[in-house]
Amino acid sequence: MLFQDQISSFFRPPTKGNPDGSSRSVLFVLRRDLCSLYGTEDGPRLREPHGPPMLTTIGMCSGLDLLSWIVMGNADARVPGKSDYERFLVEFGGLTENDAKTVYQFRCAQTHSYGLYTVVRQQPKPKPVGFTLTTLPDIQVLVQPHPGQADHFVVNFWEFKALFMRSIGELHRRLLDHNAADHSRLLDGFYKTSTRIGFISCID
């Protein structure tokens, strides 16, 4: 597979349907499956998603993990850590550093225990952090402090979806932009990561 074709295959949108053969981009499979939970990628915001909101956000958190692996370009050595994930959210998701920290904490609560509670390890003592996940379609803020509750944040489902889609689009764009300052670094990271964990064999 040519390198350019490999990028196109990895970022193949679910609207194009399954590719020929059994090889599937992990990102394609994830996006395809998520569409059965939150509707089409460019669809309207609904009061209730098609599928369970928490299960859907876990899928999106996993997708952001995968994308941060590509940027880090070190799939052989270790999984992305806190700083890798947060840096990706700032650079490709357009978040502030504070919001990136909160989203990372939300990701830990979701993926580690299918919950909305985590403990931030810090000095002088760990700090518990809680979350409320809302699907209200008219909220335009991704994360905001919960009124009246310290160390508790409200995360908007639809803004989280927007973050996920924005991150995919920005990484894809920069991988194709030969004039980007970090183009060589991103291509190297994509090659190292996608050849290891980017594609799976599926029988649909």
Side-chain angles (χ1 to χ4, degrees), residues 130-132 134 139 143-155:
F131 299 93
T132 296
T134 176
I139 295 178
V143 293
Q144 55 186 323
H146 192 291
Q149 293 190 48
D151 299 321
H152 194 108
F153 297 89
V154 179
V155 178

Side-chain angles (χ1 to χ4, degrees), residues 189-202:
F190 176 79
Y191 176 76
K192 289 179 179 178
T193 304
S194 65
T195 53
R196 292 283 185 179
I197 61 172
F199 293 85
I200 56 177
S201 180
C202 295

Side-chain angles (χ1 to χ4, degrees), residues 125-147:
K125 63 179 182 179
K127 180 179 72 172
V129 178
F131 299 93
T132 296
L133 180 63
T134 176
T135 59
L136 291 175
D138 55 342
I139 295 178
Q140 303 295 317
V141 180
L142 174 60
V143 293
Q144 55 186 323
H146 192 291

Side-chain angles (χ1 to χ4, degrees), residues 122-191:
Q122 63 178 31
Q123 297 298 329
K125 63 179 182 179
K127 180 179 72 172
V129 178
F131 299 93
T132 296
L133 180 63
T134 176
T135 59
L136 291 175
D138 55 342
I139 295 178
Q140 303 295 317
V141 180
L142 174 60
V143 293
Q144 55 186 323
H146 192 291
Q149 293 190 48
D151 299 321
H152 194 108
F153 297 89
V154 179
V155 178
N156 183 264
F157 174 89
W158 297 110
E159 286 295 316
F160 201 91
K161 177 189 175 185
L163 166 66
F164 179 56
M165 299 310 306
R166 186 167 65 245
S167 300
I168 293 172
E170 179 62 12
L171 178 55
H172 190 193
R173 183 190 70 79
R174 284 165 63 172
L175 279 168
L176 297 177
D177 183 1
H178 297 278
N179 296 318
D182 57 353
H183 186 248
S184 295
R185 175 180 67 86
L186 290 178
L187 280 181
D188 183 63
F190 176 79
Y191 176 76

Side-chain angles (χ1 to χ4, degrees), residues 41-191:
E41 292 187 334
D42 59 352
R45 299 183 177 205
L46 306 173
R47 179 61 183 84
E48 293 293 339
H50 296 285
M54 285 181 58
L55 189 61
T56 311
T57 53
I58 287 177
M60 291 188 280
C61 286
S62 297
L64 292 171
D65 269 358
L66 174 64
L67 297 176
S68 65
W69 274 41
I70 290 175
V71 173
M72 188 176 69
N74 198 20
D76 290 333
R78 63 181 177 86
V79 298
K82 175 177 180 290
S83 61
D84 303 307
Y85 198 89
E86 291 177 6
R87 186 166 60 250
F88 173 82
L89 293 175
V90 170
E91 186 176 352
F92 293 86
L95 300 188
T96 64
E97 291 186 1
N98 284 338
D99 281 355
K101 292 181 187 297
T102 304
V103 168
Y104 177 75
Q105 293 163 3
F106 175 72
R107 169 258 186 205
C108 291
Q110 286 270 275
T111 59
H112 292 171
S113 62
Y114 194 60
L116 294 170
Y117 172 88
T118 190
V119 176
V120 179
R121 305 187 188 282
Q122 63 178 31
Q123 297 298 329
K125 63 179 182 179
K127 180 179 72 172
V129 178
F131 299 93
T132 296
L133 180 63
T134 176
T135 59
L136 291 175
D138 55 342
I139 295 178
Q140 303 295 317
V141 180
L142 174 60
V143 293
Q144 55 186 323
H146 192 291
Q149 293 190 48
D151 299 321
H152 194 108
F153 297 89
V154 179
V155 178
N156 183 264
F157 174 89
W158 297 110
E159 286 295 316
F160 201 91
K161 177 189 175 185
L163 166 66
F164 179 56
M165 299 310 306
R166 186 167 65 245
S167 300
I168 293 172
E170 179 62 12
L171 178 55
H172 190 193
R173 183 190 70 79
R174 284 165 63 172
L175 279 168
L176 297 177
D177 183 1
H178 297 278
N179 296 318
D182 57 353
H183 186 248
S184 295
R185 175 180 67 86
L186 290 178
L187 280 181
D188 183 63
F190 176 79
Y191 176 76

Side-chain angles (χ1 to χ4, degrees), residues 7-14 16-20 25 27-28 31:
I7 294 175
S8 297
S9 180
F10 183 80
F11 286 96
R12 182 185 182 91
K16 287 191 173 182
N18 293 331
D20 295 333
S25 153
L27 183 63
F28 168 80
R31 292 170 68 183

